[in-house]
Amino acid sequence: MKLHHVIEAQQFDTPTLLHLFNTATEMEQVVARGGTSDFQQRIMATLFYEPSTRTRFSFETAMHRLGGQVISTENAAEFSSVAKGETLEDTIEILNGYADVIVIRHYEVGAAKRAGAVSRVPIINAGDGPGQHPTQALLDLYTIRKEIGAIDGLKIAMVGDLAQGRTVRSLTYLLSKFRDIQIYFVAPSLLKMKEDILEHLRERRIWYVEETDLDKVLPEVDVVYQTRIQKERFGDRIADYEKCRGVYIINLDTLRRMRPKSIVMHPLPRLDEISMEVDSDPRAAYFRQAQNGLYVRMALLTMVLA
Ligand code: CP
């Protein structure tokens, strides 16, 4: 099964998701064997205009484990010719002459789509401002399936910065493709999930509710998907940021209210929204979730480079 550009979560249908997840499971074995040389003639460019730990390192590790090569700039806004005024479109045209796939993270919503419009080689969206982060949503869904056993029938609470968080937007689009999903959106009033996503859920007849009381929701759900309040997206609205931070914290008291078989997820990085004392509880799935990013991104690369 072949993929070309990976721009937004909506583009994935269920058969493609299942193929991707089966391939990711195979990739767990490939990594256990140390990798493969299947893609040794192929080059991946990573072009990141925003900071990253997990996404960039896991994509680059994925390409190395597949036997391929990586060209990279860790701060494209400063270390590429964008600093001299080069357009995104020209940068992508140039990279088309060097690489077989381009992974891009940008601070503007729609930047990956603009790149895809001019690129002959596959573009993978590694996050476009507060827009989408489709590969994060893919690894999130893979983690849910692996940890909970199924996606149909899932009850999930998405918590925190739902207005500016791109991961929850992409994950909601993916979940809306499955049956009997129930989503609890738990956010401060300033950071509620955007109307375009709620409208999408109403169109798909997916059950959702908006809540402010996390304690009320905890005993109901299989997954608590915690997110960081994204200070960098508040600009000079420091007072608003201060109002929203620290409202929802996952700690040992939270765990006591959760179901024994439920899990805590987080796209990371975290600040103080999950206490470190939670890390040793078996329900803390966020580091396993980040590890799954490697397998899912290896699977994605095999599909776009096939
Ligand atoms: N989850 C995620 O996108 O992490 P990074 O910002 O470290 O890539």
Side-chain angles (χ1 to χ4, degrees):
M1 197 177 270
K2 175 121 177 77
L3 273 176
H4 192 51
H5 299 321
V6 176
I7 306 294
E8 55 189 17
Q10 304 91 303
Q11 75 182 76
F12 287 88
D13 58 22
T14 318
T16 309
L17 288 172
L18 296 180
H19 178 81
L20 177 78
F21 294 160
N22 290 337
T23 309
T25 303
E26 289 169 21
M27 290 301 143
E28 297 200 23
Q29 299 308 313
V30 171
V31 171
R33 292 195 298 270
T36 170
S37 55
D38 287 356
F39 291 87
Q40 63 182 349
Q41 304 291 332
R42 316 304 284 279
I43 294 176
M44 178 184 78
T46 52
L47 186 62
F48 277 53
Y49 295 82
E50 280 190 335
S52 169
T53 300
R54 280 144 291 275
T55 312
R56 191 167 70 87
F57 280 126
S58 63
F59 262 116
E60 294 187 358
T61 306
M63 195 60 179
H64 286 298
R65 292 281 187 204
L66 290 169
Q69 310 289 317
V70 176
I71 55 174
S72 180
T73 171
E74 66 185 63
N75 180 353
E78 197 179 331
F79 299 146
S80 75
S81 284
V82 168
K84 302 176 209 162
E86 185 168 68
T87 64
L88 176 65
E89 282 76 6
D90 278 3
T91 305
I92 296 297
E93 177 60 41
I94 297 305
L95 288 180
N96 264 251
Y98 306 152
D100 300 297
V101 55
I102 300 167
V103 181
I104 179 170
R105 169 170 288 187
H106 203 280
Y107 45 82
E108 278 177 19
V109 175
K113 201 169 188 176
R114 273 174 57 203
V118 296
S119 185
R120 296 174 299 285
V121 304
I123 294 288
I124 300 181
N125 181 5
D128 59 335
Q132 284 218 28
H133 195 347
T135 70
Q136 177 71 45
L138 293 168
L139 76 91
D140 291 343
L141 208 57
Y142 181 74
T143 300
I144 290 169
R145 195 173 88 138
K146 201 166 146 185
E147 299 266 339
I148 305 289
I151 301 167
D152 289 331
L154 185 81
K155 292 183 178 186
I156 181 169
M158 298 191 191
V159 184
D161 191 345
L162 307 185
Q164 304 173 125
R166 54 197 174 200
T167 67
V168 284
R169 293 174 59 77
S170 293
L171 181 57
T172 303
Y173 276 125
L174 286 189
L175 286 170
S176 73
K177 294 171 187 295
F178 291 83
R179 285 201 308 270
D180 302 325
I181 300 295
Q182 295 190 15
I183 307 177
Y184 297 76
F185 293 117
V186 184
S189 58
L190 285 171
L191 296 177
K192 287 166 71 170
M193 180 55 90
K194 292 257 173 68
E195 185 54 34
D196 62 329
I197 297 289
L198 301 182
E199 175 65 26
H200 172 78
L201 292 176
R202 288 193 292 269
E203 275 168 16
R204 304 274 306 191
R205 298 187 189 285
I206 306 289
W207 187 96
Y208 74 86
V209 67
E210 293 184 278
E211 250 303 339
T212 51
D213 185 353
L214 178 59
D215 284 351
K216 208 163 116 188
V217 168
L218 291 171
E220 306 295 330
V221 298
D222 306 298
V223 175
V224 174
Y225 190 99
Q226 174 69 306
T227 64
R228 176 176 63 93
I229 307 297
Q230 299 190 40
K231 187 178 185 183
E232 67 274 22
R233 306 218 187 276
F234 280 81
D236 56 8
R237 296 181 295 123
I238 301 300
D240 283 349
Y241 171 69
E242 291 299 337
K243 244 185 262 172
C244 297
R245 68 184 284 251
V247 175
Y248 302 113
I249 299 211
I250 309 289
N251 53 27
L252 293 182
D253 191 44
T254 315
L255 291 179
R256 274 190 281 276
R257 294 167 201 269
M258 287 174 58
R259 295 177 177 181
K261 294 258 165 76
S262 61
I263 56 170
V264 179
M265 295 176 66
H266 191 311
L268 304 178
R270 71 167 154 187
L271 299 181
D272 57 359
E273 65 276 2
I274 300 180
S275 306
M276 285 174 71
E277 62 198 9
V278 172
D279 295 357
S280 55
D281 191 286
R283 289 170 291 180
Y286 31 92
F287 294 128
R288 299 192 293 272
Q289 179 186 354
Q291 178 68 47
N292 288 334
L294 173 62
Y295 311 129
V296 169
R297 288 173 174 133
M298 285 175 76
L300 260 184
L301 288 172
T302 66
M303 288 169 78
V304 299
L305 293 169

